[in-house]
Amino acid sequence: MYNLAVFGNPIAHSLSPTIHAEFAQQTGIEVNYDKILAPIDGFNHKAQQFIDEGATGFNITVPFKLDAYNFATKLTLNAKTAGAVNTIKVEGSELVGENTDGIGLVNDLVNNLGVNLKDKTILILGAGGATQGILLPLLKENPKRVMIANRTASKAQQLQQDFAQYGNTCGFGLEKIKNEPVDVIINATSASLDGKMPNIANGCADGAICYDLMYGKQTPFMDWAKANNASMIVDGLGMLVEQAASSFEFWTGKKPNTQKVMENLRR
Ligand code: NDP
C-alpha cells in the first residue's frame, strides 16, 4: 500500500486525491491518498507526523513548496533549479525532493498537444516560483530562445543569469515585449487569479500557442489570446494532471495514462 497525501493551505479544493485515485485504479496499485491541511508555520511538524505514520511520499502545494525544499534531505536537479519541491519520496532515512511542475507542463505541450518546442521562441510572462520551476524542463527541449518578461524586470534578469548555463535565455520588463509574433507564450503570472491580464504588446500572440498555467476557468489571458489570433489556447489543467502523473511515477515506477483522467476532469 502506498501511503500518500498532499499538503497545502488551503487544501479543500485540491483535485490531487481524485487524480491519484484514478491512476491507482488504472495501474492496479493500492494507494491511500489524503489531503492534509497544515498550519502556515507548521509544515515540518505535520509532514514529520505523516512520515512517522508510515508515509511512502507526498505532494506539496501552495504555500509550502519552499518549506518542502528545505525539509528534503536530497534534491533532484529539477528541484534544485526550481528552488522548490512539490513531491517528496521517503527512501529509508532519506527524503528525496523532486519538482514535477515543469515536467508536467512540457509533457502536456509535447505529448498531449503535439507541440514541438525544438528551435521555437518561447515567451514566459512572470518570474515567480512557477517560472523558476518550468525553465529547466523547457530549456531541455532545445528551444531557440526562452524570453522571460516580468512586471519587475530585475527578477526576470536574475532568472536569465541563473539559467544561462542550460540554454538561451533573456530576461526583461513586460513593456519590452516586441509587437511581433513568437511561437509559444506561457502565462506564468498570478494575474489570472485576480482576473487580470498583464499589459503587453498584442502582436506577440499572432499565430502563437498561448498557454495559461491557471486552470478551472476562462482567463483574461485566454480572452486576449483569442482576440489577437493565437493558433492554440490552453489552460493549465493538462499540466496539473501531468505533474501528478510524474509524481505517481516517481513514487511507484509506473506511468499512468493521463488522457482519461483529463477527459473526466474536463467533464
Ligand atoms: P508567484 O507569486 O511566485 O509569482 C507571481 C508572478 O506573477 C510574478 O512574476 C508577478 O510579478 C506576476 N504578477 C502578478 N500579478 C501581476 C499582474 N497584475 N500583472 C503582471 N504580472 C503580475 O506565483 P507562482 O509563480 O507560484 O504562480 C503563478 C501561477 O502559476 C499561478 O496562477 C498558479 O496558480 C499557476 N500554477 C499552475 C500550476 C499547474 O499545475 N497548472 C503549477 C504551479 C503554478 P512581480 O514579480 O512583478 O510581482
Side-chain angles (χ1 to χ4, degrees), residues 126-130 150-152 155 188-191 193 198 213 215 236 239-240:
N150 194 44
R151 187 172 56 182
T152 311
K155 285 196 208 164
T189 69
S190 52
L193 291 172
L213 296 195
Y215 56 86
M239 173 178 174
L240 176 79

Side-chain angles (χ1 to χ4, degrees), residues 22-31 248 254:
E22 287 200 44
F23 289 164
Q25 205 180 17
Q26 266 181 33
T27 53
I29 293 176
E30 271 192 74
V31 165
F248 191 87
K254 288 251 168 83

Side-chain angles (χ1 to χ4, degrees), residues 36-59:
I36 301 179
L37 176 73
I40 295 297
D41 58 354
F43 168 76
N44 286 16
H45 177 71
K46 278 275 183 192
Q48 191 56 52
Q49 212 174 358
F50 187 52
I51 292 163
D52 294 343
E53 286 163 13
T56 329
F58 46 94
N59 282 129

Side-chain angles (χ1 to χ4, degrees), residues 4-6 11-24 31-36 59 244:
L4 305 168
V6 56
I11 198 62
H13 66 289
S14 174
L15 294 172
S16 294
T18 311
I19 296 171
H20 284 281
E22 287 200 44
F23 289 164
V31 165
N32 181 45
Y33 192 110
D34 290 331
K35 287 181 206 181
I36 301 179
N59 282 129

